[in-house]
Amino acid sequence: MPKAKAVAPSNIAIVKYWGKRDDRLNLPATSSISITLSKLKTEVSVSFDEKIQKDEVLVEGRPATENAYKRVVAFLDVIRSKTNLPLFARVESFSNFPVSSGLASSASTFAALTLAATKAACASFTLQELARIARLGSGSAPRSLLGGAVEAVAGVLDDGSDFEVRQILPQERVFFAVVVVVVDAKEKSVSSRDGMNLCKRTSPYYERWLEYNQGLVSTAKSALLNGDMQTVGEIAEASCFAMHACCLSANPPLLYFAEPTVSVIQEVFDMRKEGIQVYVTIDAGPHPVLILPFDFVPKAVERISNLKGVVRVIVERAGEGAKIL
Ligand code: PMV
């Protein structure tokens, strides 16, 4: 019974991925840049088993929801077709953060699943081949294969064969902390995939958003390489708020923020006016993420923790990429 286990970290995008140039291949419309995190992780084990008649998927020890099950099975079909393995699999995933709270787990899950499933199938792929496989599960997953600051290069070819992941900085050279602020909010109601499709179909800003976001990539890379906190922070906010503006301009409007999300944003702006160098970014959910020099962490954490609706504050830093266990 071919079996393997892998672990992958979550990541937070500084330059967001929001929009696909090919739905079927799950190809991003723009490049993106993220920081791989050190603590928030998902462990996935995969065993292909000739004795089972269908795939079995357990998330945190419980059967996966119908949507999650279908997504994992579609991904396993890709692995089966690439490795000529005609067996069903048993997949188990555990995250060390609450997946139901709306914190993104698709990146860590699909990065770990890519490594575990290809290893269990006894197949060996290059890093870029693994990145292209991981992308079929989740667009942000390839970035979790590498540690530190990572770019996912969108590429231009129709078949996606020039999509790549590249490390911009190893984890020890990432010069700022990442603070995940978990707020009191309902689970997100519109998935990233559906949100991106809605924006593409209905937002009057969609094309401009893509052009603007792609334009941020090279400046962000130089700022990361030059240790320029201000530019990294300003770009993270620019990409985040332009993405959310695109969401808000969709029909029906897509609002991912909850009340405490807005309080945290306001507090970040206030702190900056007082000389505390802190910036904020938010994915397709209500939880803000702060980016700031290590020296400012205690002060910023104290201020944010006191806000109404803030449930938990997780102080993070850049970490290593996914690996086989
Ligand atoms: O990987 P997906 O399909 O869940 O999309 C991720 C989208 C954002 O988290 C909002 C941005 C990003 O680049 O991670």
Side-chain angles (χ1 to χ4, degrees), residues 13 15-18 20 106 138-140 143 192 196 243 283-284:
V15 176
K16 303 292 184 196
Y17 143 60
W18 192 255
K20 303 177 197 295
S106 68
S138 158
S140 55
R143 299 186 312 234
S192 305
M196 289 183 205
M243 174 192 127
D283 279 341

Side-chain angles (χ1 to χ4, degrees), residues 13-213:
I14 286 177
V15 176
K16 303 292 184 196
Y17 143 60
W18 192 255
K20 303 177 197 295
R21 67 183 172 89
D22 185 310
D23 263 338
R24 198 181 50 85
L25 294 174
N26 208 28
L27 268 175
T30 71
S31 298
S32 60
I33 295 177
S34 61
I35 304 299
T36 299
L37 301 181
S38 67
K39 292 185 196 155
L40 303 184
K41 292 185 178 169
T42 303
E43 244 180 57
V44 175
S45 61
V46 177
S47 51
F48 288 100
D49 188 344
E50 64 278 1
K51 293 201 275 308
I52 57 175
Q53 306 308 317
K54 68 193 273 260
D55 291 317
E56 294 173 11
V57 183
L58 294 179
V59 179
E60 311 300 315
R62 287 182 295 278
T65 59
E66 197 185 328
N67 278 348
Y69 179 78
K70 281 191 190 149
R71 212 167 149 187
V72 171
V73 170
F75 187 77
L76 290 169
D77 286 341
V78 172
I79 304 286
R80 280 186 279 260
S81 80
K82 284 191 186 288
T83 59
N84 295 318
L85 188 73
L87 302 179
F88 290 111
R90 186 172 295 113
V91 174
E92 267 195 271
S93 88
F94 288 98
S95 296
N96 66 359
F97 55 96
V99 283
S100 57
S101 78
L103 281 178
S105 59
S106 68
S108 52
T109 301
F110 281 97
L113 182 57
T114 301
L115 291 193
T118 50
K119 172 84 176 171
C122 298
S124 70
F125 291 101
T126 64
L127 169 68
Q128 300 309 341
E129 286 166 343
L130 289 170
R132 285 171 207 136
I133 294 172
R135 191 198 70 226
L136 298 171
S138 158
S140 55
R143 299 186 312 234
S144 282
L145 293 175
L146 293 173
V150 182
E151 177 183 10
V153 184
V156 292
L157 299 177
D158 283 349
D159 66 356
S161 58
D162 56 347
F163 171 89
E164 281 190 358
V165 285
R166 291 184 197 152
Q167 187 178 64
I168 303 169
L169 284 180
Q171 57 266 31
E172 58 281 1
R173 282 189 54 206
V174 175
F175 49 88
F176 48 86
V178 175
V179 175
V180 181
V181 183
V182 182
V183 298
D184 187 14
K186 287 199 287 289
E187 215 178 313
K188 75 174 169 187
S189 51
V190 180
S191 69
S192 305
R193 195 168 286 232
D194 291 346
M196 289 183 205
N197 279 334
L198 179 72
C199 286
K200 187 175 187 170
R201 278 192 290 109
T202 65
S203 166
Y205 300 149
Y206 183 72
E207 292 303 327
R208 181 67 190 113
W209 143 253
L210 295 182
E211 197 187 348
Y212 176 70
N213 197 52

